[in-house]
Amino acid sequence: MRRALLLGVATLLTAAPGVGQAQNLILHGGTIQTGVDGAPPAEMVVVRDGRIAYVGPNRPTETRDEDVVIDLKGATLFPG
């Protein structure tokens, strides 16, 4: 699951202007498909130091100055 989601985040990073080198990223505000059959969609992904640190329901998350926060604005993020 994490590998598929990491690929999706990597694709997003290369497509989104200004975040191509983001090592700390918070994605929220939409449906996040994990690519795991039967698993419910996630609501939040947190990337720390270039690695996925959290995938799951929205939760309070401490942000850092270097974090890139992306509000999906209702869009769906797919792994790939």
Side-chain angles (χ1 to χ4, degrees), residues 28-33 42-43 71-78:
H28 68 95
T31 302
I32 300 167
Q33 297 294 329
E43 298 172 323
D71 183 348
L72 297 172
K73 298 179 182 175
T76 300
L77 176 66
F78 290 95

Side-chain angles (χ1 to χ4, degrees), residues 1-78:
M1 170 178 88
R2 283 186 169 199
R3 185 174 188 179
L5 191 56
L6 182 58
L7 289 172
V9 170
T11 301
L12 178 67
L13 288 176
T14 57
V19 296
Q21 301 299 316
Q23 293 293 309
N24 295 298
L25 180 67
I26 299 171
L27 297 117
H28 68 95
T31 302
I32 300 167
Q33 297 294 329
T34 62
V36 177
D37 289 336
E43 298 172 323
M44 173 182 254
V45 176
V46 177
V47 178
R48 294 285 183 225
D49 300 319
R51 302 189 69 123
I52 294 176
Y54 175 77
V55 177
N58 277 329
R59 68 175 189 185
T61 301
E62 185 177 321
T63 58
R64 305 172 185 173
D65 289 338
E66 65 271 14
D67 287 344
V68 175
V69 180
I70 297 176
D71 183 348
L72 297 172
K73 298 179 182 175
T76 300
L77 176 66
F78 290 95

